[in-house]
Amino acid sequence: MDEDRKAIDKTGEELAAELIRGDRRALARALTRVEHGGRESAALLAHCRAHVESQRQNEGKRALRLGLTGSPGAGKSTLLEALTRQLRAQNKTVAVLAIDPSSPLSGGAVLGDRIRMREMAADAGVFIRSMATRGHLGGLAAAAEDALMVMEAAGWDLLLIETTGVGQGEVEIARCADVVAVVLAPGMGDGVQAMKAGVLEIADVLVLNKADLVGIEDLEQDITSMEMLNEAVSGRPPRLVHRTVAARGEGVEALLSTLLETAQSGNNSGRRNPEARSAPVLDHLGIAVRSIEQAEGFYQLLGMTNLGRETVVGERVRVAMFAAGESRMELLEATDDEATIARFIARRGEGLHHVALRVPELDKVVDRLRSRGIRMVRDEIQIGAGGHRYVFIHPASAHGVLLELVEKA
Ligand code: ZN
């Protein structure tokens, strides 16, 4: 606590100057401060950022960020250690940021069981820091980004980010990395299928660790099939696959070369520029109701905010939007008995009418779907009240769901 108190007493400028000079204790204190966030960390971050920007621009020096994620049991920590050893053998200094959103602990405590990591931390060329939650996952991603900025200001050559591969927060954090490796291993339940949705998507490189185990051929076969299917559906070229036995250091040097090359090339699926990502996100759920006035009371009871109402003349529908986190709920009421929504309610009653996904380039997606024989409700892309563009995919082509695709504004 005394340490923290002193850290807070120091100005951001003082603390930044100390960590830039290479003071490890100052770095540790600075990381505690940015993890807490808020006003206390703003000045510190501003000084670190200014230093990092000037290094990048004037000296072309930039700390590459390698992200490592995967389910527990894949040997991710062992691989992280092996990569760190390899980097040390190449005389590079390494700072590790281990993220554990599920743990209430922070500041190194979650590393307690990692004996080898602690041994490595005795090396002056290695710095290890674990980070738990700043309250919520969105906050954690922001805290991780800040922590990496501080570590780069402190002059470390390579930044390794380890996440546990458990969900959406991981995906956000991975966006901080220049390259992301997802670690898999044979014999992990349903293997590829068991990975949380979205986690495999963020990989630039797929690592098949524990490659000396029975089942490695099946795992690689699963991965290859998945990559071929992805290429057919989304046009994304297959990703690089590496086999490793991290515990014996096998395949680690080759993997490291690939990671460094990919990180340097900036050819990393566009994760650093979220607008360029092609994966759809849930935009809203459309719900057919008899009366918006009557239905909206229910959503207000749930504490949801009404984002406004409009009438879409072309669709003969009145719409009320409610905020639901990053997505929305759309209540739809027919303006007359011949409207699509009126006929839907006459046939099936009130209920879920459609699911809407938001995509970056609607024309491209629609062309791709058409070329695969996917049916649209109408041939042309429609233009909605706010000027946004959308299409509906016929339920016959979308496995029973009326699927709306809307274009990112
Ligand atoms: Zn809609």
Side-chain angles (χ1 to χ4, degrees):
M1 266 300 135
D2 276 345
E3 293 282 298
D4 279 3
R5 192 64 248 163
K6 268 186 262 165
I8 299 221
D9 287 340
K10 273 205 170 104
T11 68
E13 188 172 4
E14 284 166 347
L15 202 50
E18 286 175 12
L19 74 90
I20 287 166
R21 277 200 303 272
D23 184 332
R24 286 174 79 114
R25 297 215 324 171
L27 173 57
R29 288 171 186 172
L31 289 169
T32 302
R33 194 182 287 194
V34 298
E35 195 170 6
H36 292 161
R39 215 160 38 88
E40 295 291 347
S41 72
L44 166 68
L45 275 171
H47 281 95
C48 289
R49 191 168 287 119
H51 178 72
V52 165
E53 306 261 290
S54 120
Q55 288 241 301
R56 288 182 182 180
Q57 277 169 22
N58 303 332
E59 294 170 43
K61 189 176 177 220
R62 200 169 94 70
L64 291 179
R65 302 166 170 199
L66 313 185
L68 210 57
T69 191
S71 308
K76 181 167 34 78
S77 299
T78 312
L79 185 61
L80 185 99
E81 291 157 24
L83 286 167
T84 303
R85 264 195 297 277
Q86 189 68 44
L87 284 162
R88 292 298 295 135
Q90 298 175 11
N91 272 324
K92 300 257 195 263
T93 59
V94 184
V96 176
L97 182 65
I99 308 277
D100 188 355
S102 60
S103 168
L105 305 171
S106 71
V110 297
L111 291 170
D113 57 336
R114 295 186 191 171
I115 306 302
R116 278 169 301 178
M117 277 317 259
R118 296 178 80 187
E119 281 170 8
M120 266 198 303
D123 175 352
V126 179
F127 180 87
I128 299 169
R129 174 72 178 211
S130 65
M131 184 179 263
T133 174
R134 195 197 254 180
H136 57 89
L137 285 172
L140 184 56
E145 181 71 58
D146 291 348
L148 292 166
M149 181 62 71
V150 171
M151 285 171 156
E152 182 166 355
W156 298 87
D157 296 328
L158 264 296
L159 308 182
L160 301 190
I161 311 152
E162 182 195 5
T163 65
T164 49
V166 291
Q168 192 56 37
E170 308 287 320
V171 178
E172 295 304 317
I173 291 160
R175 245 172 243 142
C176 304
D178 296 304
V179 61
V180 173
V182 171
V183 189
L184 302 160
M188 298 179 54
D190 291 329
V192 177
Q193 284 72 32
M195 292 292 292
K196 287 276 183 180
V199 173
L200 273 175
E201 292 308 304
I202 60 175
D204 303 301
V205 177
L206 297 161
V207 183
L208 312 185
N209 192 31
K210 303 188 181 177
D212 53 343
L213 292 188
V214 177
I216 185 69
E217 302 299 336
D218 288 347
L219 178 61
E220 181 148 14
Q221 184 57 49
D222 281 356
I223 291 288
T224 308
S225 313
M226 178 186 78
E227 292 298 282
M228 280 166 64
L229 184 67
N230 266 329
E231 187 175 25
V233 173
S234 70
R236 181 183 70 194
R239 292 166 292 186
L240 286 168
V241 177
H242 274 265
R243 286 193 187 190
T244 57
V245 185
R248 297 204 300 260
E250 288 171 23
V252 175
E253 194 174 352
L255 170 64
L256 181 60
S257 310
T258 296
L259 294 179
L260 292 176
E261 246 165 59
T262 312
Q264 262 150 5
S265 71
N267 183 14
N268 59 10
S269 327
R271 269 178 300 92
R272 287 179 77 77
N273 175 9
E275 294 310 307
R277 285 186 309 140
S278 57
V281 297
L282 185 62
D283 187 85
H284 65 267
L285 299 176
I287 295 163
V289 298
R290 289 199 175 84
S291 155
I292 283 177
E293 276 68 31
Q294 285 171 25
E296 66 186 358
F298 169 72
Y299 289 96
Q300 281 156 355
L301 268 181
L302 284 169
M304 293 170 79
T305 310
N306 194 335
L307 299 172
R309 289 195 201 176
E310 62 181 347
T311 300
V312 186
V313 178
E315 303 276 3
R316 300 156 102 171
V317 73
R318 290 173 63 219
V319 176
M321 279 289 189
F322 283 83
E326 308 248 310
S327 339
R328 295 167 297 165
M329 305 279 270
E330 178 187 57
L331 304 186
L332 303 155
E333 176 194 312
T335 55
D336 64 74
D337 290 347
E338 295 306 308
T340 314
I341 290 297
R343 283 187 277 130
F344 175 89
I345 290 178
R347 219 169 44 244
R348 303 180 35 184
E350 290 186 313
L352 183 63
H353 178 260
H354 66 269
V355 173
L357 297 174
R358 187 164 65 241
V359 298
E361 294 175 295
L362 187 58
D363 301 86
K364 274 194 188 168
V365 175
V366 168
D367 284 351
R368 194 164 66 227
L369 293 170
R370 280 223 178 88
S371 74
R372 311 268 163 179
I374 302 291
R375 270 178 70 193
M376 307 291 156
V377 173
R378 289 180 205 157
D379 282 335
E380 300 304 314
I381 288 177
Q382 308 289 303
I383 298 178
H388 73 279
R389 305 165 74 237
Y390 66 95
V391 293
F392 279 98
I393 298 173
H394 199 281
S397 282
H399 302 270
V401 178
L402 178 60
L403 193 67
E404 181 182 6
L405 298 179
V406 298
E407 190 163 57
K408 239 175 210 175

